[in-house]
Amino acid sequence: MIHSTSSSDRTARTDAVSLVPQKPVVRGPGADRFSAEQSAALHAALAAQPEIRPEVVARGKELAADPSYPSTAILRKVGEALLKSPDLTQDES
């Protein structure tokens, strides 16, 4: 039974806070789905890009010549991220 005092606005609130902590979903290899439409769109977007982007090559050369790149802080963060990431090649069964 629907009471007349019930709110008719049942849209989801984006500002609502979940009381149950959400566990991140870890997908193993092969969990992605293929869509021919998406594949065609990606191929079209790739075809629209130049094969060699001179500004990116120039930026890469600048960074390669810079002895302080990447910084020690960046290297530490990358190392920590690698160490904390799960190894998806290991069988967890």
Side-chain angles (χ1 to χ4, degrees):
M1 173 185 239
I2 301 174
H3 298 284
S4 62
T5 57
S6 297
S7 171
S8 61
D9 180 18
R10 296 289 180 205
T11 57
R13 289 180 39 205
T14 57
D15 62 338
V17 177
S18 174
L19 298 177
V20 179
Q22 299 296 320
K23 192 174 186 181
V25 177
V26 178
R27 295 187 175 107
D32 293 331
R33 294 208 167 38
F34 172 77
S35 168
E37 294 82 21
Q38 290 176 342
S39 177
L42 288 173
H43 281 286
L46 181 60
Q49 296 295 318
E51 191 169 329
I52 298 173
R53 295 171 40 200
E55 71 278 3
V56 177
V57 172
R59 177 70 176 140
K61 286 181 179 180
E62 288 174 14
L63 291 174
D66 184 356
S68 64
Y69 180 82
S71 69
T72 304
I74 290 175
L75 288 175
R76 282 200 177 109
K77 286 182 182 180
V78 170
E80 288 173 7
L82 287 172
L83 289 172
K84 291 178 182 178
S85 66
D87 185 354
L88 299 177
T89 62
Q90 293 180 350
D91 185 13
E92 294 183 14
S93 53

